[in-house]
């Protein structure tokens, strides 16, 4: 009997641990709080396996923006202060992308600049400057190794050609002009379809109510020029569609930074599939921190990381990265071999 019990004990000890219970769809956890100055923007998942986000600054603050770095489990590792910002005016930095060799691509608003940050050395470098009036917002690599940048203040998609330091207006249209200062936000290139997806917070070209936002599709011709802008989806009034991620299914998960405080799931053709939470306004997602100006949705495994900005309330306890389980993996942002800047 003793031998039998010992054998059974050995089997139990050697058996692999039971698999963790899978999270339910839309289950939300706190990935990490975002330290001062807070107001996190787009969350970038780097090819080095780490997670980065920049910060905006409340109006009137003289604190420089910072870039934060986390592990994949939400442990804060380090941060860098953004140099050269005029601190007597509104300023912020978006970790918008990365280069092929691993430098972060930053969009700084007060100097209207494209910067890079080498996370190995901590060195910042200015790559390009946009003209007066521009507010660079999101960026995607695209055809020809160019960087394409949305402008939150003007109806323009900028292109920074490979090897150039001078952004050029690539697409200018009233459809992207925006109303009430709520303009163009997310942009992602889909190489298989040879098009961009673009989110617009408000539409002021007469195609809908000015309080409605949109998801657009923009094809790119063989000559590299933009085709005709196509509206795939119209948001509800006041949704303010912002950053988004694309799942392996082709579904698009969009953060709604407006009063609804929700995530919306769309098919690749723009059909609305689901909203989370189902009840708008409160942002009650089941986690200790409700959605409060959710402004991006970036895939990390089968979950999306949501930057919770609390832009209106300015509640530092809500300024966080939230982790929302969606049950499918995402498509990595397009990163061609030519995704780099001239030295």
């Amino acid at each position: 009997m003793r031998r039998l019990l010992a054998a059974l004990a050995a089997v139990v000890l050697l058996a692999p641990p039971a698999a963790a219970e899978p999270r339910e769809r839309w289950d939300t956890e706190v990935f990490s709080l975002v330290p001062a100055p807070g107001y996190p923007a787009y969350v970038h998942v780097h090819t080095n396996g780490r997670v980065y986000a920049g910060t905006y600054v409340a109006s009137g603050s003289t604190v420089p923006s910072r870039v934060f770095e986390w592990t994949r489990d939400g442990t804060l590792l380090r941060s860098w202060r953004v140099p050269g910002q005029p601190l007597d005016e509104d300023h912020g930095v978006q970790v918008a992308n990365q280069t092929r060799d691993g430098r972060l691509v930053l969009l700084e608003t007060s100097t209207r600049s494209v910067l890079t940050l080498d996370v190995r050395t901590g060195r910042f470098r200015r790559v390009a400057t946009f003209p007066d009036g521009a507010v660079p917002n999101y960026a995607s690599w695209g055809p020809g190794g160019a960087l394409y940048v949305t402008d939150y203040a003007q109806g323009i998609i900028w292109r920074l050609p490979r090897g150039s330091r001078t952004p050029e207006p690539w697409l200018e249209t009233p459809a992207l002009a925006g109303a009430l200062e709520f303009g163009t936000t997310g942009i992602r290139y889909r190489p298989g379809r040879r098009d961009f997806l673009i989110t617009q917070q408000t539409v002021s070209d007469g195609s809908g109510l000015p309080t409605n936002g949109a998801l657009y599709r923009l094809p790119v011709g063989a000559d590299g020029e933009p085709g005709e802008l196509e509206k795939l989806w119209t948001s509800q009034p006041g949704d303010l569609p912002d950053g988004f991620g694309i799942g392996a299914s082709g579904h698009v998960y969009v953060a709604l930074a407006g009063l609804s405080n929700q995530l919306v799931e769309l098919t690749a053709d723009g059909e609305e599939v689901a909203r989370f939470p189902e009840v708008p306004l409160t942002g009650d997602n089941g986690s200790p921190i409700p959605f409060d100006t959710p402004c991006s949705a970036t895939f990390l495994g089968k979950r999306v990381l949501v930057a919770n900005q609390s832009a209106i309330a300015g509640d530092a306890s809500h300024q966080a990265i939230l982790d929302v389980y969606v049950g499918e993996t995402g498509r990595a942002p397009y990163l061609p071999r030519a995704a780099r800047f001239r030295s």
Side-chain angles (χ1 to χ4, degrees):
M1 177 63 70
R2 288 180 179 176
R3 289 181 179 179
L4 177 60
L5 291 175
L8 290 173
V11 169
V12 171
L13 290 173
L14 292 174
E21 288 294 321
R23 292 168 64 180
E24 293 185 4
R25 196 156 193 265
W26 304 120
D27 177 61
T28 303
E29 299 176 351
V30 178
F31 179 79
S32 177
L33 295 175
V34 176
Y39 299 92
Y42 175 69
V43 181
H44 177 69
V45 174
H46 199 286
T47 53
N48 66 10
R50 293 180 179 174
V51 175
Y52 299 86
T55 68
Y56 285 75
V57 176
S59 180
S61 172
T62 58
V63 179
S65 301
R66 300 193 77 88
V67 174
F68 290 100
E69 177 188 66
W70 292 270
T71 63
R72 293 175 68 90
D73 66 1
T75 301
L76 180 63
L77 296 177
R78 51 185 174 162
S79 70
W80 299 266
R81 186 177 69 177
V82 178
Q85 292 182 307
L87 301 181
D88 58 347
E89 58 185 77
D90 289 352
H91 48 283
V93 68
Q94 182 99 291
V95 181
N97 216 304
Q98 70 173 89
T99 62
R100 184 75 179 202
D101 59 359
R103 289 173 172 82
L104 295 180
V105 177
L106 313 178
L107 300 177
E108 202 288 316
T109 58
S110 63
T111 59
R112 310 178 312 282
S113 300
V114 179
L115 307 174
T116 59
L117 169 59
D118 188 331
V119 297
R120 296 165 299 182
T121 66
R123 181 189 174 211
F124 288 83
R125 184 168 73 91
R126 191 180 309 278
V127 173
T129 302
F130 295 89
D132 287 345
V135 179
N137 199 3
Y138 283 78
S140 174
W141 295 101
L147 187 73
Y148 295 78
V149 180
T150 60
D151 190 327
Y152 194 61
Q154 304 175 115
I156 299 174
I157 303 293
W158 298 91
R159 177 171 62 183
L160 184 61
R162 183 182 180 188
S164 173
R165 290 180 174 271
T166 305
E168 57 188 32
W170 180 63
L171 173 70
E172 189 167 2
T173 170
L176 300 180
L180 305 173
E181 300 183 354
F182 295 106
T184 313
T185 49
I187 183 169
R188 281 281 299 271
Y189 182 63
R190 299 188 295 182
R193 295 176 179 244
R194 198 172 174 83
D195 64 9
F196 287 96
L197 291 181
I198 300 165
T199 40
Q200 179 72 20
Q201 288 197 335
T202 57
V203 176
S204 62
D205 64 350
S207 62
L209 293 174
T211 53
N212 291 343
L215 174 70
Y216 290 112
R217 173 182 177 268
L218 179 65
V220 181
D223 58 358
E225 293 304 306
E228 184 175 348
L229 197 65
E230 175 189 2
K231 186 185 293 184
L232 296 181
W233 168 77
T234 300
S235 82
Q236 295 180 10
D239 274 347
L240 302 184
D242 211 299
F244 60 90
I246 302 175
S249 65
H251 285 201
V252 184
Y253 297 79
V254 186
L256 303 179
L259 297 176
S260 56
N261 282 318
Q262 293 172 304
L263 297 181
V264 63
E265 179 186 0
L266 309 172
T267 68
D269 296 322
E271 179 184 352
E272 190 165 317
V273 174
R275 284 182 175 238
F276 174 74
E278 291 184 4
V279 178
L281 303 177
T282 67
D284 184 7
N285 53 34
S287 86
I289 299 178
F291 288 143
D292 182 356
T293 322
C295 61
S296 65
T298 304
F299 270 91
L300 178 63
K302 292 186 178 182
R303 49 209 172 113
V304 293
L305 300 181
V306 177
N308 216 39
Q309 196 169 90
S310 190
I312 303 300
D315 186 337
S317 70
H318 288 180
Q319 290 167 354
I321 309 300
L322 302 179
D323 169 337
V324 183
Y325 185 78
V326 296
E328 68 166 317
T329 56
R331 297 183 181 181
Y334 181 58
L335 189 65
R337 292 184 182 276
R340 62 184 71 236
F341 300 111
R342 185 175 59 189
S343 300

